[in-house]
């Protein structure tokens, strides 16, 4: 593993020679797996999650250290990546390809790793750490480097599937009391219309949406159409995780706006979905699309076509959450995101300060350089179950 790193580093230094002040040399990468237990199990149509296996990337460029998070789940049930596939792909392909390389900007990262197909979440973990480095190096908050301008972002929450409608209604009430602007209900066959009806009856004016995580098929179109009567903001990803065209057929039958999540892996997918009318809203997740560079492209395409976007979540630790906050400041993020307070998920988050939400249901965007939250190294060490490092070598003499 290290040997490969040294080889690539040597090639890169021979090519580039000396490092100009404004450039970034990728000097070291540390990949860690940490274990974190969610305060409560989170149930979606694809399963229940409580114990998270999260990969953190710490990347050093010109003495500055930046952080990124891999948002893959433990199992390949949301998309095809897992914590383990990301460990493999970063260790064996991504880290060796970028260690020792010198680049002008973090936005060049996708070109360096274009030979690795797929594995967007693995790539995003590394690319986003580089964005944090670049922002710190330039002395600007990450949101500004990305081109964002919001000082405050509007927050929504995503609620896991509950045993019965009454339990869901009680949870919605709690979140509305905390000031959250939009409540998303996870649904699956058998736990859909009656759950939504109960919540709508209790909160006639609340902004509500549902997320099926691909649990339905076109044959369920009439069942999904029954959701039209509840005035939902959107129905998220009802059909196959990798099928855009069927969503277009479904959207034509529904009054409620469809929002795509799983189906949109990059800006080309977004363009296709918009062109065929598969959705009227898009959920952008940094991991799913491969990092800030591609996320911004998805955002731009949506803006051009008047498609509102919002920032999705993947039960992230504070590092991923901080990146989500920065991205959410871009102008097209006009709908509340699934970016909520650290304390909703974690007893103790790995960043300082933790992410807090105001009584108005917003997050104040930090103004300090880089991510704006610091990694709690000691706590991260305690939570780490494995780690691997790559270091750039000095140029090796050639004969
Ligand atoms: O589809 O948005 C999703 C969590 C895990 C996998 C997929 C999804 C989710 C969520 C949680 O909805 C959002 C959050 O992190 O708060
Ligand atoms: Mg979703």
């Amino acid at each position: 593993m290290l040997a490969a790193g040294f080889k690539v580093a040597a090639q890169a230094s021979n090519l580039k020679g000396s490092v100009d002040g404004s450039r970034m040399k990728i000097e070291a990468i540390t990949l860690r797996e940490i274990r974190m237990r969610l305060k409560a199990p989170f149930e979606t149509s694809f399963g229940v999650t409580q114990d998270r296996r999260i990969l953190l990337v710490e990347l050093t460029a010109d003495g500055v250290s930046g952080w990124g998070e891999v948002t893959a789940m433990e199992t390949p049930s949301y998309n095809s990546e897992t914590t383990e596939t990301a460990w493999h792909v970063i260790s064996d392909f991504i880290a060796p390809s970028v260690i020792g390389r010198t680049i002008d900007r973090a936005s060049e990262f996708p070109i360096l790793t274009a030979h690795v197909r797929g594995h967007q979440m693995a790539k995003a973990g590394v690319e986003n750490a580089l964005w944090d480095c670049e922002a710190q190096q330039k002395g600007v908050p990450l949101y500004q480097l990305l081109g964002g301008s919001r000082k405050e972002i509007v927050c929504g929450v995503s609620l896991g599937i509950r045993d019965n409608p009454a339990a869901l209604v009680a949870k919605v009430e709690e979140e509305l009391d905390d000031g959250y602007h939009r409540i998303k209900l996870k649904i699956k066959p058998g736990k859909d219309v009656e759950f939504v009806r109960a919540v709508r009856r209790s909160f006639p004016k609340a902004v509500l949406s549902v997320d099926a995580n691909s649990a339905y098929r076109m044959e369920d179109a009439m069942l999904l159409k029954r959701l039209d009567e509840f005035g939902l903001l959107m129905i998220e990803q009802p059909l196959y995780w990798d099928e855009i065209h069927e969503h277009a057929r479904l959207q034509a039958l529904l009054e409620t706006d469809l929002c795509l999540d799983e189906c949109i892996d990059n800006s080309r997918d977004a363009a296709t979905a918009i062109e065929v009318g598969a959705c009227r809203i898009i959920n952008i997740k940094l991991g799913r699309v491969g990092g800030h560079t591609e996320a911004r492209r998805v955002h731009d395409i949506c803006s051009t076509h008047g498609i509102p976007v919002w920032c999705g979540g993947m039960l992230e630790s504070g590092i991923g959450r901080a990146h989500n906050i920065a991205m959410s400041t871009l102008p097209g993020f006009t709908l509340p995101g699934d970016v909520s307070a650290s304390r909703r998920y974690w007893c103790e988050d790995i960043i300082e300060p933790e992410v807090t939400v105001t009584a108005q249901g917003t997050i104040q965007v930090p103004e300090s350089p880089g991510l704006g939250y610091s990694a709690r190294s000691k706590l991260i060490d305690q939570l780490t179950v494995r780690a691997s490092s790559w270091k750039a070598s000095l140029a090796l003499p050639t004969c």
Side-chain angles (χ1 to χ4, degrees):
M1 194 182 292
L2 262 182
F6 276 109
K7 205 163 131 215
V8 175
Q11 279 168 2
S13 348
N14 288 345
L15 278 175
K16 300 275 182 195
S18 73
V19 177
D20 155 332
S22 68
R23 312 189 79 196
M24 296 193 291
K25 176 169 177 178
I26 303 174
E27 289 160 341
I29 297 173
T30 299
L31 179 64
R32 293 182 178 84
E33 178 180 338
I34 60 167
R35 300 281 163 100
M36 287 177 85
R37 168 162 282 206
L38 293 166
K39 275 185 170 177
F42 189 87
E43 182 172 349
T44 65
S45 65
F46 59 75
V48 181
T49 306
Q50 182 157 26
D51 291 318
R52 297 288 343 269
R53 293 176 57 196
I54 295 173
L55 301 187
L56 297 177
V57 177
E58 184 182 7
L59 188 151
T60 309
D62 295 308
V64 169
S65 143
W67 288 82
E69 175 169 342
V70 174
T71 62
M73 305 296 296
E74 295 68 29
T75 58
S77 0
Y78 162 78
N79 64 3
S80 61
E81 293 189 75
T82 68
T83 309
E84 199 65 37
T85 66
W87 181 277
H88 160 54
V89 170
I90 293 174
S91 299
D92 294 343
F93 305 105
I94 298 175
S97 317
V98 303
I99 193 73
R101 301 292 292 265
T102 299
I103 56 177
D104 288 320
R105 329 188 161 77
S107 57
E108 291 167 20
F109 177 89
I111 300 165
L112 292 186
T113 52
H115 59 289
V116 176
R117 292 190 177 173
H119 300 283
Q120 292 91 331
M121 290 175 162
K123 289 178 177 175
V126 184
E127 183 188 313
N128 293 349
L130 208 45
W131 277 94
D132 181 18
C133 287
E134 184 179 343
Q136 289 180 57
Q137 203 178 57
K138 294 187 166 149
V140 297
L142 175 59
Y143 84 88
Q144 272 181 25
L145 184 63
L146 292 168
S149 54
R150 275 173 226 287
K151 304 282 175 204
E152 196 172 39
I153 65 163
V154 179
C155 307
V157 291
S158 171
L159 300 185
I161 294 167
R162 297 293 193 280
D163 286 342
N164 53 70
L168 183 60
V169 167
K171 189 67 189 168
V172 171
E173 180 163 26
E174 218 179 276
E175 304 289 4
L176 288 171
D177 286 348
D178 280 348
Y180 286 104
H181 289 257
R182 184 270 289 138
I183 311 287
K184 164 170 131 181
L185 314 172
K186 290 288 192 181
I187 56 168
K188 68 176 182 183
K191 289 197 166 180
D192 41 40
V193 178
E194 291 321 309
F195 283 66
V196 178
R197 187 188 307 283
V199 173
R200 178 49 89 210
R201 196 174 281 150
S202 305
F203 310 101
K205 295 205 172 113
V207 181
L208 300 177
S209 68
V210 295
D211 184 359
N213 288 110
S214 306
Y216 297 86
R217 296 292 169 259
M218 239 353 240
E219 300 87 85
D220 303 313
M222 285 309 118
L223 185 150
L224 293 166
K225 179 129 188 82
R226 289 170 61 200
L227 294 172
D228 272 346
E229 71 172 284
F230 303 117
L232 301 176
L233 178 63
M234 67 189 106
I235 299 174
E236 187 178 339
Q237 194 70 38
L239 307 178
Y240 284 108
W241 68 288
D242 58 353
E243 231 297 332
I244 290 176
H245 281 84
E246 288 224 325
H247 281 96
R249 288 174 51 215
L250 180 62
Q251 180 66 92
L253 299 172
L254 301 180
E255 276 164 44
T256 311
D257 291 347
L258 288 186
C259 167
L260 291 182
D261 174 353
E262 282 88 330
C263 272
I264 308 297
D265 281 346
N266 51 55
S267 50
R268 289 164 283 113
D269 289 339
T272 303
I274 296 168
E275 191 179 321
V276 304
C279 62
R280 301 183 190 132
I281 298 175
I282 287 181
N283 161 337
I284 301 184
K285 287 182 181 169
L286 276 168
R288 200 193 63 227
V289 304
H292 281 300
T293 306
E294 190 65 19
R296 211 163 48 172
R297 285 197 197 111
V298 175
H299 163 273
D300 294 349
I301 282 186
C302 290
S303 294
T304 303
H305 292 89
I307 298 287
V309 301
W310 55 281
C311 177
M314 290 295 295
L315 310 173
E316 289 96 339
S317 79
I319 299 291
R321 222 161 270 278
H323 278 285
N324 288 342
I325 293 168
M327 176 177 75
S328 303
T329 64
L330 293 172
F333 285 78
T334 53
L335 295 173
D338 279 347
V339 189
S340 56
S342 296
R343 69 176 186 93
R344 287 191 63 253
Y345 288 119
W346 314 113
C347 293
E348 213 179 2
D349 204 345
I350 58 167
I351 52 164
E352 217 160 43
E354 62 171 36
V355 174
T356 54
V357 168
T358 65
Q360 290 71 47
T362 61
I363 293 173
Q364 235 111 43
V365 180
E367 291 290 342
S368 46
L371 267 187
Y373 298 85
S374 16
R376 295 176 60 184
S377 315
K378 236 169 138 181
L379 178 59
I380 291 172
D381 278 349
Q382 284 165 15
L383 301 173
T384 298
V385 295
R386 56 174 165 166
S388 193
S389 293
W390 293 261
K391 279 193 173 53
S393 62
L394 296 170
L396 296 176
T398 43
C399 52

